[in-house]
Amino acid sequence: MIQLLLSTADDTLERRVHLAIGDGFTRVPPPHVESGQDPATALFGRAHIPDVLILDASGLEDVVLRVAEDLAPLADVLLVHREPAHIAMAAVRAGVRDIISADAEPQELRAALDRAADRVFAARAGAGLVPPPAPHEPAAVGRVVTVTSPKGGVGKTTIATNVAVGLAQRFPQRVVLIDADVHFGDVASALNLEAKHSLPDIARGPAARDSIAVKSYFTQHVSGLFVVPGSDSPADADAVTPDDLAQLIAMLREQFAFVIVDTAPGLTEHTLASLDNTDHLVLVTSLDVPGVRGLRKEIDPLDNLSMVVGRRTIVVNFNERSRGMTVADVEATIRAGVDFVLPQSNAVPLSTNQGIPLLQGARRDPVSRELRVLVDAVAPSASEPVTGRLSRRKR
């Protein structure tokens, strides 16, 4: 049995922990450490140390970090904070094993506590104290949504950034966007962000295998979206291998509800690495012959290799009658149904040039409305299966 203690003054946090794991924990007030006082005595009123300790650091950063530093060698310490990225580096130095957002849902709390329990059991087994635990169901992981296209210039990044912003508005602090166009990605420009760190720093740097420290390298958008920007230097981008990208995606899906991946045009090795981890593939084409034929060439190998086992959504962008093609022509060529059709609109280039995604505001133009429905499709209810394809289509 694992002894779990929650230190918080927040009744709401206690209720969420209860929803996550039931009654298997004890709650105590936040610590107040006097000069020279033992941190365990200050926190628990006694010198007994639990197996797992959850410290609510919101508003008590200095005191809680002191306690965490003293108790980390003795317990698996988890930290709760309103801004995990803000406190991440100090928490790492204090020996904290995981950081949880103060508004984390019970499912996310359960995943973090499952990881802590696994570490405790592994430590006991390594010390010969108990046999390894029986196999159990794996912790829930986030959805990976990959946005790709057969060629450039079809609005792929516009769709990826808007979907990511739309999700971040619904799931605050729980969505991350990766610019996986490693050489020429422009996600940061599309979001009007000045980034200190880019994909090579994050996928290859010291935080690449540290699930706590990695969040401090992200750039955060005003919507609450976390962003891994593409590289400013194609030479630096060469260092990022497909395996690096795959490992980054795998790590982030354990921390976020949604991982959105914007890829380079075509089926590059980095795109294939993303597809190996994808739950929902969004394929984008414009209403022109090269784009549609390219989409057919992209769908065929994906179907033949069964690379994407979850959802597949096909989006036709820049729809306009004067282009001389119809949605029916597209479907006949790709031999598959089109799920979403985004109309040609002057609002799109204006949004791109300003670095303000359409869904960042409360716009009601036709493109924004359709993008919001696309966000609905990417974020189905928890009870809805991830297999199968959408049939929604707007002519």
Side-chain angles (χ1 to χ4, degrees), residues 25-291:
F25 68 97
T26 301
R27 175 182 170 182
V28 297
H32 178 71
V33 182
E34 302 291 346
S35 178
Q37 187 178 22
D38 175 70
T41 303
L43 187 58
F44 316 130
R46 59 190 190 280
H48 178 72
I49 308 297
D51 298 305
V52 179
L53 175 60
I54 308 175
L55 295 172
D56 186 356
S58 300
L60 297 168
E61 289 85 353
D62 292 342
V63 172
V64 166
L65 286 171
R66 275 186 58 199
V67 172
E69 186 173 9
D70 286 336
L71 296 182
L74 307 173
D76 197 294
V77 180
L78 286 67
L79 215 62
V80 176
H81 197 266
R82 289 186 293 268
E83 300 181 64
H86 174 74
I87 202 171
M89 294 304 296
V92 171
R93 289 193 291 267
V96 172
R97 300 300 300 271
D98 209 344
I99 301 179
I100 307 169
S101 173
D103 58 0
E105 296 295 327
Q107 185 180 32
E108 187 176 354
L109 286 166
R110 176 58 185 263
L113 293 172
D114 279 345
R115 293 193 295 270
D118 287 342
R119 291 191 293 266
V120 170
F121 279 124
R124 289 179 180 178
L129 300 177
V130 294
H136 61 280
E137 290 296 320
V141 294
R143 288 176 180 265
V144 176
V145 181
T146 297
V147 184
T148 187
S149 66
K151 70 182 190 70
V154 301
K156 172 182 55 61
T157 295
T158 296
I159 290 172
T161 51
N162 274 280
V163 167
V165 166
L167 288 170
Q169 292 168 341
R170 303 184 188 189
F171 303 90
Q173 310 295 318
R174 300 181 64 201
V175 183
V176 60
L177 169 61
I178 301 174
D179 190 345
D181 186 347
V182 295
H183 291 102
F184 302 108
D186 53 5
V187 161
S189 175
L191 294 171
N192 195 26
L193 294 176
E194 292 290 336
K196 292 183 179 180
H197 303 287
S198 63
L199 180 63
D201 305 319
I202 298 169
R204 299 283 294 178
R209 306 295 182 267
D210 191 326
S211 61
I212 298 177
V214 71
K215 291 183 180 178
S216 65
Y217 283 74
F218 296 161
T219 303
Q220 193 163 19
H221 186 250
V222 293
S223 64
L225 171 70
F226 289 99
V227 180
V228 179
S231 177
D232 291 330
S233 165
D236 292 341
D238 284 336
V240 180
T241 68
D243 284 343
D244 292 332
L245 178 61
Q247 291 180 30
L248 178 63
I249 293 171
M251 180 171 66
L252 296 185
R253 76 183 306 171
E254 294 183 355
Q255 302 178 56
F256 291 90
F258 293 93
V259 179
I260 313 301
V261 185
D262 183 31
T263 65
L267 292 178
T268 68
E269 291 186 1
H270 290 85
T271 298
L272 293 174
S274 176
L275 293 178
D276 280 338
N277 295 274
T278 294
D279 302 299
H280 191 149
L281 173 62
V282 179
L283 288 159
V284 183
T285 184
S286 52
L287 203 62
D288 57 70
V289 172

